[in-house]
Amino acid sequence: MKNRFKKVTKQFLTGGLFILFVFPASTNYELRSFGFGAGGGSLDSTTYSLEGILGEQSASVSSNSYNVRAGLLGVQTAHIPPAPSLTNPSSWYNKLKLIIDTGGNPSDTVFAVAISNNNWATTNWVQSDNTVGASLGIEDYQTYANWGGASGENIIGLDPNTTYWVRVKAWQGEFSESGLGPQASAATVNVSIDFDIDVSSSDTETAAPYALPFGTLSIGSVNTPSTKVWVDIDTNAQYGGYIYLSDNNSGLLSASTSYTIDGVTGNLGSLPEGFGAQSSTDIETSGGPLTAISPYNNSSENVGIIDTTIRELYSTSGNPITGGRGSFLLKAKPSNTAPASADYTDTLTIIAAGTF
């Protein structure tokens, strides 16, 4: 029995374990503890700063309205921006107003804007020039100030009568880009131009057919009917609308005598003969303004020529307009040599157009 005990003891001692704990160290630092699992910590000296999280990473938590990312990356990632503002404040057909919400990110944060016209079946990106493109370049990340700040920017080159959705993501420093935030949406409208003509001595609506009687033309005198031609224009054309004037006969034609009182530009008070138009009024509700174009914007007996050439009569000054309404007079002066006739007539053509 004594010998057997010695043998067991010897085997136990031979199989013993010796564990030596050594802490990492250098002339600059010493790391004296380790954390495993979901722990971590930070160390500092005059020459370095060490931050870390050791062990496994807990699962991310998310829903339709938020996402919580665990671990160091989740702490360093920029805040996901809230939904931006996307509006159509002026019935635009080719642009929308975007205002970004920073979501509390620092001022040096840059943002990228995703955009879709099919509810994210495909995703495009707002470019640095505010157009829409398929790719996202480094130059398309811009600061809040570059995105227009509180005033925002217009996303341009959009399709008419289309709904667009936008989402924003943030990036502040390396390895910190956030995911896309919640969406906002707005729609463009169709292109439009509305035009109407009235013929009346007062500002009132009239129906076709339109006729403006001169009555008896006095030889050697300027004849001005009290009846005016009124024109209405409304358009959302980005570069404005125009109203043009032309005629069939280049003046007042008497078919029975084959004589024409020619259209002219000038002062009928001093010219021996002529026929022309003169703007009387031009107003608008908003936009524009509606403006008579030279030589039709004169007074007294000064007129602009009416002939078969299509000539610009009114302009909305390169802007969309609402409630534009103008009126113009016709003036005629037959010379002493003009043959008397009851059939001096002309047909006017008035055209409205927009630059979209």
Side-chain angles (χ1 to χ4, degrees):
M1 175 67 71
K2 185 175 181 181
N3 292 335
R4 183 178 178 184
F5 176 78
K6 290 182 178 179
K7 184 177 182 180
V8 171
T9 304
K10 183 177 181 181
Q11 288 178 339
F12 177 80
L13 294 175
T14 302
L17 297 176
F18 294 89
I19 301 175
L20 177 65
F21 291 92
V22 179
F23 295 103
S26 77
T27 57
N28 293 324
Y29 74 90
E30 179 178 351
L31 181 61
R32 301 192 60 82
S33 65
F34 296 90
F36 292 93
S42 61
L43 294 172
D44 294 281
S45 78
T46 57
T47 56
Y48 77 93
S49 175
L50 175 63
E51 180 179 357
I53 294 179
L54 304 177
E56 74 276 5
Q57 177 173 306
S58 300
S60 297
V61 181
S62 64
S63 75
N64 291 332
S65 58
Y66 72 90
N67 181 280
V68 179
R69 301 178 67 183
L72 181 60
L73 183 60
V75 175
Q76 294 178 331
T77 300
H79 302 313
I80 295 178
S85 169
L86 189 67
T87 59
N88 187 348
S90 299
S91 298
W92 293 327
Y93 59 90
N94 62 351
K95 58 186 176 182
L96 293 170
K97 171 74 75 175
L98 170 72
I99 303 176
I100 285 177
D101 187 329
T102 65
N105 281 291
S107 60
D108 61 341
T109 304
V110 291
F111 302 88
V113 180
I115 185 168
S116 175
N117 63 0
N118 52 21
N119 204 10
W120 308 111
T122 57
T123 299
N124 289 311
W125 300 93
V126 180
Q127 307 294 291
S128 58
D129 61 358
N130 294 343
T131 61
V132 175
S135 61
L136 177 63
I138 191 68
E139 71 282 357
D140 302 322
Y141 288 85
Q142 300 184 94
T143 64
Y144 177 67
N146 290 141
W147 283 113
S151 298
E153 290 276 8
N154 293 331
I155 305 174
I156 61 176
L158 304 181
D159 294 328
N161 196 33
T162 302
T163 298
Y164 286 88
W165 291 261
V166 293
R167 301 170 69 189
V168 180
K169 62 180 178 178
W171 175 21
Q172 197 261 334
E174 295 182 353
F175 314 114
S176 67
E177 185 179 54
S178 75
L180 289 168
Q183 67 182 14
S185 66
T188 56
V189 301
N190 270 322
V191 297
S192 67
I193 183 167
D194 295 320
F195 178 57
D196 182 42
I197 298 174
D198 301 300
V199 177
S200 174
S201 58
S202 62
D203 186 356
T204 186
E205 297 293 322
T206 61
Y210 303 109
L212 194 158
F214 258 95
T216 301
L217 294 176
S218 300
I219 299 296
S221 298
V222 179
N223 297 266
T224 306
S226 61
T227 302
K228 300 177 184 180
V229 180
W230 301 79
V231 291
D232 297 330
I233 184 170
D234 288 82
T235 182
N236 62 358
Q238 181 174 354
Y239 301 105
Y242 304 87
I243 296 175
Y244 300 92
L245 176 65
S246 66
D247 77 347
N248 283 6
N249 303 323
S250 292
L252 293 176
L253 170 65
S254 169
S256 63
T257 63
S258 298
Y259 187 86
T260 301
I261 302 174
D262 291 329
V264 296
T265 292
N267 187 346
L268 292 181
S270 57
L271 292 173
E273 185 174 84
F275 169 65
Q278 180 191 98
S279 176
S280 177
T281 61
D282 45 50
I283 61 172
E284 67 287 325
T285 302
S286 62
L290 185 67
T291 304
I293 303 301
S294 178
Y296 303 100
N297 59 345
N298 284 307
S299 59
S300 185
E301 307 301 349
N302 292 283
V303 296
I305 188 171
I306 302 176
D307 59 8
T308 56
T309 300
I310 298 174
R311 300 178 186 275
E312 189 177 336
L313 177 62
Y314 290 102
S315 164
T316 68
S317 306
N319 301 304
I321 194 169
T322 300
R325 186 165 174 83
S327 67
F328 62 92
L329 300 164
L330 298 179
K331 294 176 177 285
K333 180 181 180 182
S335 68
N336 295 330
T337 60
S341 177
D343 66 342
Y344 282 100
T345 60
D346 195 10
T347 300
L348 304 183
T349 299
I350 304 172
I351 301 170
T355 304
F356 293 92

